[in-house]
């Protein structure tokens, strides 16, 4: 296990270096001049623009800007927001718990709905239960998040008055109010994940149920519940875990439309505002943090593989 972790960490470091090249390089392709945007009413003054470019190192070659940026990143300094006038690392630490709470709730809802439906659909193939599960999955995949969010606000906030229509309260300040403000956006995001997980779980289970070891288990007289849950599901979970880590990383990257509809101050809203304001340090910091999250989740998925299937430990 130690050797495996060391090999994976050795792969992560060059991956992050390549990602940093891409993040910084693609950022330079964005249209517009940040100095002009930051100058405001004085954008017509060449001296003001030159001063802003010098302060932000925009007058230096791209390679010099990159070396300065990556050198600070290695030390934990993601730069300074040009618009908000705050350290980018502090902004990330402020927004990450919000998005992490929303993503965790949405992921739990997605797994709780999608995986059992996938198992039910596979074990009851070509029955009304299978058709119902596939219909639910098709509805979840086809329904746009923004439409479902608006409909839920109209029903549960406007008509019934059960839940607040928007806003966010930190979990540590008021847990009940925090859950009431995030349950609707979490459900909106969770339905989409549930649909994808259901389809993949069904496909993986159908493949596993057709394998020789499953037929052997049934021939030995094992109960169908044991065959499904102990033998088939354990092997079918590996592709589902892969998809689940990707979906969870996507949630942590920020659900832009959902956060905008429900006024959730998370990663999605932060990066959208930064892009429109040409706030390069914020965009670079958030995207790099998101890339790091995906890389770490990939490592977690590898560890889960070995926990689910012990044969992979020897490999």
């Amino acid at each position: 296990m130690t050797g495996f972790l060391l090999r994976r960490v050795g792969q992560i470091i060059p991956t992050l270096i390549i990602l940093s090249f891409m993040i910084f390089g693609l950022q330079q392709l964005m249209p517009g001049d940040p100095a002009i945007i930051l100058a405001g009413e004085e954008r017509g003054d060449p001296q003001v623009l030159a001063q802003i470019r010098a302060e932000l190192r925009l007058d230096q070659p791209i390679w010099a800007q990159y070396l300065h940026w990556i050198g600070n990143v290695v030390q934990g300094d993601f730069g300074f927001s040009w618009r908000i006038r705050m350290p980018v690392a502090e902004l990330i630490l402020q927004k990450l718990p919000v998005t992490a709470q929303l993503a965790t709730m949405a992921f739990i809802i997605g797994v709780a709905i999608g995986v059992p439906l996938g198992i039910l659909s596979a074990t009851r193939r070509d029955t009304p239960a299978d058709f119902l599960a596939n219909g639910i999955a098709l509805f979840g995949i086809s329904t746009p998040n923004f439409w479902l969010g608006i409909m839920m606000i109209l029903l549960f906030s406007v008509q019934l008055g059960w839940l607040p229509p928007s806003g966010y309260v930190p979990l540590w300040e008021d847990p009940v109010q925090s859950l009431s403000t995030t349950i609707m956006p979490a459900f909106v995001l969770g339905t989409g994940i549930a649909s994808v997980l259901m389809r993949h779980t069904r496909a993986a289970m159908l493949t596993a149920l057709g394998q020789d070891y499953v037929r052997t288990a049934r021939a030995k007289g094992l109960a169908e519940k044991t065959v499904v849950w102990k033998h088939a599901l354990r092997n079918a979970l590996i592709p589902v875990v892969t998809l689940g880590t990707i979906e969870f990383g996507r949630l942590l990257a920020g659900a832009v439309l959902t956060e905008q509809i429900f006024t959730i101050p998370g990663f999605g809203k932060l990066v959208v505002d930064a892009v429109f304001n040409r706030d390069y340090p914020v965009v670079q910091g958030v995207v790099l943090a998101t890339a790091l999250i995906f890389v770490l989740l990939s490592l977690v998925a590898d560890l889960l593989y070995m926990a689910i299937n012990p044969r992979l430990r020897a490999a």
Side-chain angles (χ1 to χ4, degrees), residues 11-310:
Q11 296 171 357
I12 288 174
I13 294 175
T15 300
L16 290 176
I17 293 175
I18 295 173
L19 286 172
S20 70
F21 287 148
M22 297 177 62
I23 292 169
F24 190 86
L26 293 175
Q27 182 74 40
Q28 306 303 315
L29 299 178
M30 291 182 61
D33 187 350
I36 295 177
I37 297 175
L38 295 175
E41 297 180 355
E42 299 180 355
R43 66 184 61 184
D45 190 337
Q47 293 184 347
V48 173
L49 295 177
Q51 182 180 356
I52 293 175
R53 292 191 181 100
E55 291 178 354
L56 302 180
R57 299 178 181 269
L58 297 176
D59 56 346
Q60 296 183 0
I62 293 179
W63 62 267
Q65 296 180 43
Y66 171 79
L67 291 178
H68 175 76
W69 173 69
I70 198 64
N72 290 335
V73 167
V74 172
Q75 302 175 42
D77 182 7
F78 286 82
F80 207 79
S81 171
W82 298 344
R83 297 287 296 184
I84 307 177
R85 299 299 179 183
M86 285 179 61
V88 175
E90 185 176 336
L91 284 173
I92 292 175
L93 292 177
Q94 285 181 0
K95 305 300 182 182
L96 184 57
V98 179
T99 300
Q101 178 186 343
L102 181 61
T104 303
M105 292 175 63
F107 189 72
I108 292 173
I109 292 172
V111 171
I113 297 174
V115 174
L117 277 181
I119 298 172
L120 176 66
S121 180
T123 55
R124 301 289 188 272
R125 187 177 183 181
D126 296 331
T127 65
D130 183 21
F131 297 141
L132 178 61
N134 278 285
I136 294 173
L138 182 61
F139 173 80
I141 293 174
S142 306
T143 305
N145 285 351
F146 68 87
W147 182 86
L148 182 59
I150 293 173
M151 292 300 102
M152 291 189 69
I153 291 174
L154 289 175
L155 176 60
F156 294 104
S157 299
V158 178
Q159 298 294 331
L160 301 177
W162 291 354
L163 297 169
S166 61
Y168 173 77
V169 176
L171 187 63
W172 55 88
E173 291 184 4
D174 189 341
V176 175
Q177 186 66 17
S178 178
L179 293 176
S180 67
T181 56
T182 52
I183 188 62
M184 282 199 296
F187 184 81
V188 169
L189 296 172
T191 52
I193 295 175
S195 303
V196 177
L197 287 177
M198 179 270 165
R199 300 297 295 271
H200 280 72
T201 303
R202 180 182 186 274
M205 281 294 294
L206 288 175
T207 301
L209 289 171
Q211 298 298 314
D212 291 338
Y213 64 86
V214 173
R215 286 192 287 267
T216 302
R218 285 172 173 161
K220 289 181 178 179
L222 295 179
E224 185 65 18
K225 183 182 296 184
T226 303
V227 172
V228 171
W229 291 96
K230 186 176 180 180
H231 294 275
L233 180 60
R234 193 163 189 174
N235 289 277
L237 279 180
I238 292 179
V240 177
V241 167
T242 302
L243 178 67
T245 54
I246 294 174
E247 291 296 324
F248 187 62
R250 185 174 61 84
L251 289 173
L252 288 175
V256 177
L257 286 177
T258 304
E259 289 185 1
Q260 292 286 348
I261 291 172
F262 290 96
T263 321
I264 303 294
F267 259 15
K269 191 174 187 305
L270 176 65
V271 73
V272 168
D273 293 341
V275 169
F276 279 114
N277 293 323
R278 303 295 188 273
D279 200 343
Y280 289 177
V282 175
V283 177
Q284 292 168 347
V286 172
V287 175
L288 186 61
T290 302
L292 179 60
I293 289 172
F294 271 100
V295 170
L296 293 177
L297 286 175
S298 176
L299 177 59
V300 171
D302 289 337
L303 297 176
L304 289 176
Y305 296 158
M306 291 185 287
I308 294 171
N309 192 341

